[in-house]
Amino acid sequence: MSTTSTEATIRTALHEAATSYRTVLAAADHALAVYSCSLAAHVVLRHDPHAVALVIGEGDSPNWRSARSVVGADGAVRPLTDEEDEDLDAADAVHNLVDDNAAAWRPLCSRFDRTYGVYHLDLAKARDAGTALLAK
């Protein structure tokens, strides 16, 4: 099978466009995860400046996660207050933490229990990651 020079040029352009698309998509997915974690951290810290982690649990469906509780500076875990829960839901941040962008948000967790699907989002690390990404 022979190709014309125009076909070869188009094939090269298509390859470059596909590569560019995947790069942009990966960068956007990374930013979505980091900003989501950072926003969740800001919301919790606004309500409880001494909190150190937000406990996020996996649901029954793939890629479904929700905020469950807060870890205080003393290590005690407490339920979310109604205000925290409402503000986190309004921010819609935790729902953006999916398997496809886990490489961006899981390093922001201080703990992960794979058996129960529970993550402890480190609030200081998450807050700072969002701020650093904004500065780029």
Side-chain angles (χ1 to χ4, degrees):
M1 163 193 323
S2 65
T3 61
T4 65
S5 64
T6 302
E7 286 177 51
T9 303
I10 291 171
R11 186 182 316 273
T12 300
L14 174 61
H15 175 73
E16 289 170 359
T19 301
S20 176
Y21 174 77
R22 285 189 292 274
T23 301
V24 169
L25 188 60
D29 212 26
H30 177 86
L32 175 69
V34 171
Y35 288 140
S36 294
C37 288
S38 186
L39 181 58
H42 278 275
V43 168
V44 172
L45 290 168
R46 177 169 37 88
H47 289 280
D48 183 354
H50 303 292
V52 296
L54 173 64
V55 180
I56 298 169
E58 293 182 345
D60 295 332
S61 302
N63 283 325
W64 187 86
R65 293 177 176 87
S66 64
R68 301 254 173 101
S69 51
V70 174
V71 180
D74 61 357
V77 178
R78 65 162 177 80
L80 292 168
T81 65
D82 288 342
E83 293 83 13
E84 289 168 335
D85 194 31
E86 289 170 10
D87 287 353
L88 285 166
D89 276 348
D92 201 31
V94 175
H95 304 291
N96 294 321
L97 307 180
V98 296
D99 293 344
D100 287 346
N101 58 23
W105 63 266
R106 281 192 183 156
L108 301 176
C109 294
S110 56
R111 246 178 87 194
F112 169 53
D113 183 339
R114 181 163 273 131
T115 303
Y116 297 104
V118 176
Y119 306 84
H120 285 216
L121 179 65
D122 183 311
L123 298 177
K125 206 186 281 189
R127 178 197 60 212
D128 295 347
T131 303
L133 191 57
L134 280 174
K136 287 185 177 183

